Amino acid sequence: MIISFEGPVFFSPADEDHFFSWLRSIPEFQSIKGFATTLELELRAPVQPDSVRQLLVVFRRWHLDTMKLVALRSPETDGFVLWSANIETVLVQRLRKSQGAEA
């Protein structure tokens, strides 16, 4: 399976290293190739739900289009909040929930 997406902007060599290291740490990772500003991530199928979650986190962290991962959406991964939610919204909701639990 190949996922093609516009690569992120890196702010330092370490930022770039972290991005590619995180992708390589995903168990289904096969390869990643760059063509101008487009990256092609090759994964072994089937991609496990935890790996889908990791990809969503990577895409959110580096402000990439999560819709490029839609082929990985399944009944097991459909409930992952990062598919459609703004990350700031998720953090605010969790903070409010934890504050409510402390009261």
Side-chain angles (χ1 to χ4, degrees), residues 27-47:
E28 295 84 358
F29 175 86
Q30 289 281 291
S31 68
I32 190 154
K33 299 174 186 165
F35 303 95
T37 60
T38 300
L39 295 175
E40 287 189 352
L41 174 63
E42 184 178 1
L43 301 169
R44 276 187 303 275
V47 179

Side-chain angles (χ1 to χ4, degrees), residues 34-98:
F35 303 95
T37 60
T38 300
L39 295 175
E40 287 189 352
L41 174 63
E42 184 178 1
L43 301 169
R44 276 187 303 275
V47 179
Q48 297 302 308
D50 188 57
S51 296
V52 175
R53 185 187 321 269
Q54 290 301 310
L55 286 166
L56 283 165
V57 171
V58 169
F59 272 56
R60 289 293 185 175
R61 186 169 304 267
W62 273 275
H63 305 283
L64 303 173
D65 181 6
T66 58
M67 289 299 101
K68 299 295 183 173
L69 301 173
V70 77
L72 300 174
R73 201 166 186 162
S74 69
E76 294 88 12
T77 65
D78 198 48
F80 294 168
V81 69
L82 293 175
W83 278 119
S84 58
N86 179 314
I87 191 68
E88 289 81 14
T89 302
V90 172
L91 294 174
V92 168
Q93 288 172 345
R94 287 189 179 173
L95 178 63
R96 287 183 182 155
K97 187 175 181 179
S98 70

